[in-house]
Amino acid sequence: FTSIGKCRKFVIKCKAAVAWEPRKPLSIEDVEVAPPKVHEVRIKIVATGVCHTDLEYLYGAGKAMKFRPFPLVLGHEAAGIVESVGPEVTKFSPGDKVIPLFLPQCGECERCRSPKTNQCRKNWANTQVGVLADGTSRISCKGQQVYQFLGVSSFSQYTVVPDTSLAKIRSDAPLDKVCLLGCGVSTGYGAAINTGKVEKDSSCAVFGLGAVGLAAIMGCKVAGATRIIGVDINTAKFEKAKEFGASECVNPNQCSRPIQEVLVDMTGGGVDYALECVGSPGVMSAALESTIDAWGTCVIAGWTETEAMSVVVEKILMGRTLKGTYFGGWKSVEGVPKLVDDYMNKKLKLDEFITNILPLDQINVAFADMTSGNSIRTVISLSTEETSG
Ligand code: NAD
Ligand code: ZN
Ligand code: ZN
């Protein structure tokens, strides 16, 4: 290995979980990770969470999710260490602890300058189809280009990301925990506090008690909501939801009437805020209808790309608001380090989301555990050198 200043120009050979085609298990392969190009950073991934969106893109490709090019390395909820930087990178150096971001924040575009949105579009068209700024990916396997999911690809021991899609975090942060801030926890927490703007003494219903839903409960609690009703078709999720702050839980499959009617009755007119953290159009309509007609707010965090939800116009005519959230409304580069601080200061839980830690070669078990409802978050450990503490 030769070093030329900060830019080390060699290809790294490492392990990655490759999705060769949709609806097939991932396979562990030796991949080659090219050096970072201009405004790119190569990082060693230490830990990555497995998010429902990874599962959907593999098993729901071409159905609820748009079809993205394969072969693909999935994974977008991770933390790692900068290995090397490409030309013109000024904000990162080898050794920095970082969280890669599927939502960029360039800091310069009209959207970055507006407080109204986190929707930066730097490199967007490219990262959405799995490539970086020059139209190619930095990962290859058996001589073939392998696409980078959302421009990240954290199911690989090394990856390369644009320098505007990377947050530098404090050096004492445990990477095997703060990886969850790369997606699920930030999304659910922000859905409640940034997008919903949940108020003190309000009532909330959270649909779906996976990592995103539990984080939404945590957000509702931090915001001072007095009544937080957890809703899930899997009763096994209720105990954890209560630990996170749910005051009560309901299973729609155990109700004789539609869940929205049950919630309207329970709250004498409807909840102030409903947060959909499932990704199902039917649940989205139910969430909207469970809010109080005069001022209820429904936030959609669940992710589907090709399906439509139905809204009876009369349901919004009286004053309900329907909103969506992407990455919890956080401006990514500046928001994530603050969330890391909140975790380090014990304002935010992370450890409690982690139900399993597995090596990369067990990644298909993580998908199976998510599908069966046996896990909240599985963290995949890609390195033995870095553990928390
Ligand atoms: P998860 O699979 O861990 O949890 C989903 C939960 O929903 C499970 O507990 C499941 O039992 C429950 N559920 C399923 N059907 C239900 C129904 N009909 N009624 C009530 N509950 C039901 O998933 P997750 O990782 O927490 O992600 C949740 C959703 O958020 C997914 O759609 C994911 O793609 C999406 N997501 C969105 C963003 C964003 O930026 N908006 C980011 C991350 C994840
Ligand atoms: Zn995710
Ligand atoms: Zn921008």
Short mmCIF file of all heavy atoms in Angstrom, two decimals, residues 31-56:
data_model
loop_
_atom_site.label_atom_id
_atom_site.label_comp_id
_atom_site.label_asym_id
_atom_site.label_seq_id
_atom_site.Cartn_x
_atom_site.Cartn_y
_atom_site.Cartn_z
N VAL A 31 -15.29 -8.28 -2.84
CA VAL A 31 -15.52 -7.16 -3.76
C VAL A 31 -14.29 -6.27 -3.80
O VAL A 31 -13.41 -6.36 -2.92
CB VAL A 31 -16.76 -6.31 -3.36
CG1 VAL A 31 -18.03 -7.14 -3.41
CG2 VAL A 31 -16.57 -5.67 -1.99
N GLU A 32 -14.22 -5.42 -4.81
CA GLU A 32 -13.15 -4.44 -4.92
C GLU A 32 -13.76 -3.06 -4.76
O GLU A 32 -14.77 -2.75 -5.39
CB GLU A 32 -12.45 -4.59 -6.27
CG GLU A 32 -11.85 -5.98 -6.43
CD GLU A 32 -10.87 -6.07 -7.58
OE1 GLU A 32 -11.12 -5.42 -8.61
OE2 GLU A 32 -9.86 -6.79 -7.42
N VAL A 33 -13.15 -2.26 -3.89
CA VAL A 33 -13.66 -0.92 -3.65
C VAL A 33 -12.60 0.07 -4.14
O VAL A 33 -11.49 0.14 -3.59
CB VAL A 33 -13.99 -0.70 -2.15
CG1 VAL A 33 -14.55 0.70 -1.92
CG2 VAL A 33 -15.00 -1.76 -1.68
N ALA A 34 -12.94 0.81 -5.17
CA ALA A 34 -12.01 1.74 -5.82
C ALA A 34 -11.71 2.93 -4.91
O ALA A 34 -12.48 3.24 -4.01
CB ALA A 34 -12.61 2.20 -7.14
N PRO A 35 -10.59 3.62 -5.15
CA PRO A 35 -10.28 4.81 -4.35
C PRO A 35 -11.32 5.90 -4.58
O PRO A 35 -11.97 5.93 -5.62
CB PRO A 35 -8.92 5.26 -4.89
CG PRO A 35 -8.40 4.15 -5.73
CD PRO A 35 -9.58 3.35 -6.18
N PRO A 36 -11.44 6.81 -3.61
CA PRO A 36 -12.41 7.90 -3.76
C PRO A 36 -11.98 8.87 -4.86
O PRO A 36 -10.79 9.18 -4.99
CB PRO A 36 -12.39 8.58 -2.39
CG PRO A 36 -11.08 8.20 -1.78
CD PRO A 36 -10.72 6.86 -2.33
N LYS A 37 -12.95 9.34 -5.65
CA LYS A 37 -12.66 10.36 -6.66
C LYS A 37 -12.89 11.74 -6.04
O LYS A 37 -13.06 11.86 -4.83
CB LYS A 37 -13.54 10.12 -7.88
CG LYS A 37 -13.21 8.80 -8.58
CD LYS A 37 -13.88 8.67 -9.92
CE LYS A 37 -13.45 7.35 -10.57
NZ LYS A 37 -14.16 7.08 -11.83
N VAL A 38 -12.90 12.76 -6.90
CA VAL A 38 -13.03 14.13 -6.40
C VAL A 38 -14.31 14.28 -5.54
O VAL A 38 -15.36 13.77 -5.90
CB VAL A 38 -12.97 15.14 -7.59
CG1 VAL A 38 -14.12 14.91 -8.57
CG2 VAL A 38 -12.92 16.56 -7.11
N HIS A 39 -14.16 14.93 -4.40
CA HIS A 39 -15.26 15.14 -3.46
C HIS A 39 -15.89 13.84 -2.97
O HIS A 39 -17.09 13.78 -2.71
CB HIS A 39 -16.34 16.07 -4.05
CG HIS A 39 -15.95 17.52 -3.98
ND1 HIS A 39 -15.72 18.16 -2.80
CD2 HIS A 39 -15.71 18.42 -4.96
CE1 HIS A 39 -15.37 19.41 -3.03
NE2 HIS A 39 -15.34 19.60 -4.34
N GLU A 40 -15.07 12.79 -2.85
CA GLU A 40 -15.57 11.52 -2.32
C GLU A 40 -14.68 11.05 -1.16
O GLU A 40 -13.51 11.41 -1.07
CB GLU A 40 -15.59 10.44 -3.40
CG GLU A 40 -16.63 10.71 -4.48
CD GLU A 40 -16.62 9.72 -5.61
OE1 GLU A 40 -15.77 8.78 -5.61
OE2 GLU A 40 -17.44 9.87 -6.52
N VAL A 41 -15.28 10.22 -0.31
CA VAL A 41 -14.58 9.73 0.88
C VAL A 41 -14.76 8.21 0.94
O VAL A 41 -15.87 7.71 0.78
CB VAL A 41 -15.18 10.38 2.16
CG1 VAL A 41 -14.48 9.85 3.41
CG2 VAL A 41 -15.06 11.91 2.09
N ARG A 42 -13.64 7.50 1.15
CA ARG A 42 -13.76 6.05 1.31
C ARG A 42 -13.79 5.74 2.80
O ARG A 42 -12.95 6.23 3.56
CB ARG A 42 -12.59 5.32 0.63
CG ARG A 42 -12.74 3.80 0.68
CD ARG A 42 -11.92 3.11 -0.40
NE ARG A 42 -10.49 3.33 -0.26
CZ ARG A 42 -9.57 2.84 -1.11
NH1 ARG A 42 -9.95 2.10 -2.16
NH2 ARG A 42 -8.30 3.09 -0.94
N ILE A 43 -14.78 4.97 3.23
CA ILE A 43 -14.90 4.68 4.66
C ILE A 43 -14.91 3.19 4.94
O ILE A 43 -15.39 2.39 4.14
CB ILE A 43 -16.15 5.35 5.28
CG1 ILE A 43 -17.42 5.00 4.52
CG2 ILE A 43 -16.00 6.86 5.32
CD1 ILE A 43 -18.64 5.72 5.02
N LYS A 44 -14.37 2.89 6.09
CA LYS A 44 -14.43 1.52 6.60
C LYS A 44 -15.70 1.45 7.44
O LYS A 44 -15.84 2.17 8.44
CB LYS A 44 -13.20 1.28 7.47
CG LYS A 44 -13.19 -0.04 8.15
CD LYS A 44 -12.00 -0.12 9.08
CE LYS A 44 -12.04 -1.43 9.81
NZ LYS A 44 -10.85 -1.64 10.60
N ILE A 45 -16.64 0.61 7.01
CA ILE A 45 -17.89 0.47 7.77
C ILE A 45 -17.61 -0.44 8.96
O ILE A 45 -17.10 -1.55 8.81
CB ILE A 45 -19.00 -0.13 6.88
CG1 ILE A 45 -19.29 0.75 5.66
CG2 ILE A 45 -20.27 -0.39 7.70
CD1 ILE A 45 -19.98 2.06 5.94
N VAL A 46 -17.95 0.04 10.15
CA VAL A 46 -17.72 -0.76 11.36
C VAL A 46 -19.00 -1.51 11.76
O VAL A 46 -18.95 -2.67 12.15
CB VAL A 46 -17.23 0.16 12.51
CG1 VAL A 46 -17.19 -0.59 13.82
CG2 VAL A 46 -15.85 0.71 12.16
N ALA A 47 -20.14 -0.84 11.63
CA ALA A 47 -21.41 -1.46 12.01
C ALA A 47 -22.52 -0.89 11.15
O ALA A 47 -22.50 0.28 10.78
CB ALA A 47 -21.71 -1.19 13.49
N THR A 48 -23.49 -1.75 10.85
CA THR A 48 -24.66 -1.26 10.08
C THR A 48 -25.93 -1.91 10.61
O THR A 48 -25.95 -3.12 10.90
CB THR A 48 -24.51 -1.54 8.57
OG1 THR A 48 -25.69 -1.08 7.89
CG2 THR A 48 -24.29 -3.01 8.24
N GLY A 49 -26.96 -1.12 10.74
CA GLY A 49 -28.27 -1.66 11.07
C GLY A 49 -28.90 -2.22 9.80
O GLY A 49 -28.47 -1.92 8.69
N VAL A 50 -29.92 -3.06 9.98
CA VAL A 50 -30.68 -3.57 8.84
C VAL A 50 -32.07 -2.96 8.96
O VAL A 50 -32.76 -3.18 9.95
CB VAL A 50 -30.74 -5.11 8.86
CG1 VAL A 50 -31.58 -5.63 7.71
CG2 VAL A 50 -29.33 -5.69 8.80
N CYS A 51 -32.43 -2.13 7.98
CA CYS A 51 -33.69 -1.37 8.03
C CYS A 51 -34.73 -2.05 7.14
O CYS A 51 -34.40 -2.74 6.18
CB CYS A 51 -33.41 0.05 7.55
SG CYS A 51 -34.86 1.10 7.32
N HIS A 52 -35.97 -1.80 7.46
CA HIS A 52 -37.07 -2.36 6.66
C HIS A 52 -36.95 -1.95 5.19
O HIS A 52 -37.34 -2.71 4.29
CB HIS A 52 -38.41 -1.88 7.23
CG HIS A 52 -39.58 -2.65 6.72
ND1 HIS A 52 -40.23 -3.61 7.44
CD2 HIS A 52 -40.19 -2.60 5.50
CE1 HIS A 52 -41.20 -4.12 6.71
NE2 HIS A 52 -41.19 -3.53 5.53
N THR A 53 -36.40 -0.77 4.93
CA THR A 53 -36.28 -0.30 3.54
C THR A 53 -35.30 -1.19 2.75
O THR A 53 -35.51 -1.42 1.56
CB THR A 53 -35.85 1.19 3.53
OG1 THR A 53 -36.73 1.91 4.39
CG2 THR A 53 -35.94 1.78 2.14
N ASP A 54 -34.25 -1.70 3.39
CA ASP A 54 -33.35 -2.64 2.72
C ASP A 54 -34.13 -3.89 2.28
O ASP A 54 -34.00 -4.37 1.15
CB ASP A 54 -32.21 -3.09 3.65
CG ASP A 54 -31.30 -1.94 4.04
OD1 ASP A 54 -30.81 -1.24 3.15
OD2 ASP A 54 -31.07 -1.75 5.27
N LEU A 55 -34.92 -4.39 3.22
CA LEU A 55 -35.73 -5.58 2.97
C LEU A 55 -36.70 -5.35 1.81
O LEU A 55 -36.82 -6.17 0.90
CB LEU A 55 -36.53 -5.90 4.25
CG LEU A 55 -37.50 -7.05 4.24
CD1 LEU A 55 -36.76 -8.35 4.50
CD2 LEU A 55 -38.57 -6.88 5.30
N GLU A 56 -37.36 -4.19 1.82
CA GLU A 56 -38.35 -3.85 0.78
C GLU A 56 -37.70 -3.73 -0.59
O GLU A 56 -38.27 -4.14 -1.60
CB GLU A 56 -39.02 -2.51 1.10
CG GLU A 56 -40.37 -2.52 1.73
CD GLU A 56 -41.32 -3.64 1.41
OE1 GLU A 56 -41.85 -3.68 0.28
OE2 GLU A 56 -41.56 -4.48 2.28
#
